[in-house]
Amino acid sequence: MRAKHNIIVISILALLFAGFKSTPNHPLSTVGHFKASFQDTKEKLVGKWIMDGDPDTYIELNADGTALEKSIGDPLKRYWTLKDNSLCLKATPNQGGAEICLAYKLNTNALILTMNGMKLHYIRYNLTE
């Protein structure tokens, strides 16, 4: 069972890195009431999200727009933002600066990311436990 899970995670990572594309550096622009909604959603996403069933795989989204992504090996520093109902993770410039945007659903302490039709379930890590 663990081997099957590892194969799935490796397959997801391969798809993730194959799907990276370069994008220009520009800030996300918002106007009017969308700005408040965007900020509220972004604040709700801040925190550490552990992959359901694999505590060694996580995404940590920080309020300053930086992120740590851990799946295999050491955690990787990323940048994150929201664009068009997607959670976007961007590699650092010395990692090539590639960006991938994933559809997401947020339900309080559950985050579901969708990549190539595959749903990845994360749960909020509670630091007080």
Side-chain angles (χ1 to χ4, degrees), residues 3 11 23-24 32 62 73 75 83 107 110-111 115 118-119 121-123:
S11 298
T23 58
N62 300 308
K83 295 180 184 177
N107 296 315
L111 174 64
M115 181 175 61
M118 189 180 312
K119 293 185 186 293
H121 296 262
Y122 289 83
I123 53 174

Side-chain angles (χ1 to χ4, degrees), residues 1 9 32 35 37 42 49 54 58 61 70 74 76 84 90 92 101-102 110 112 122-123:
M1 180 69 174
V9 170
K35 188 171 184 176
S37 175
K42 192 169 181 180
W49 298 90
D54 183 5
Y58 63 85
L61 305 173
K70 167 79 167 76
D74 293 329
L76 298 172
D84 300 325
K90 184 172 184 171
T92 61
C101 294
L102 306 167
I112 301 170
Y122 289 83
I123 53 174

Side-chain angles (χ1 to χ4, degrees), residues 12-88:
I12 291 168
L13 290 173
L15 291 171
L16 178 74
F17 290 116
F20 274 146
K21 62 179 181 179
S22 293
T23 58
N25 291 331
H26 57 80
L28 178 64
S29 61
T30 58
V31 293
H33 65 280
F34 294 111
K35 188 171 184 176
S37 175
F38 171 81
Q39 190 60 35
D40 288 345
T41 303
K42 192 169 181 180
E43 287 174 6
K44 290 176 185 175
L45 284 168
V46 169
K48 188 171 185 177
W49 298 90
I50 307 288
M51 183 176 274
D52 193 16
D54 183 5
D56 294 329
T57 299
Y58 63 85
I59 299 171
E60 187 172 337
L61 305 173
N62 300 308
D64 66 358
T66 60
L68 285 178
E69 179 187 8
K70 167 79 167 76
S71 51
I72 297 175
D74 293 329
L76 298 172
K77 183 177 179 180
R78 302 267 188 243
Y79 299 100
W80 75 281
T81 193
L82 299 176
K83 295 180 184 177
D84 300 325
N85 299 318
S86 295
L87 172 65
C88 299

Side-chain angles (χ1 to χ4, degrees), residues 93-115:
N94 58 346
Q95 295 171 338
E99 180 180 61
I100 185 168
C101 294
L102 306 167
Y104 76 94
K105 287 188 181 182
L106 177 63
N107 296 315
T108 310
N109 292 319
L111 174 64
I112 301 170
L113 300 177
T114 303
M115 181 175 61

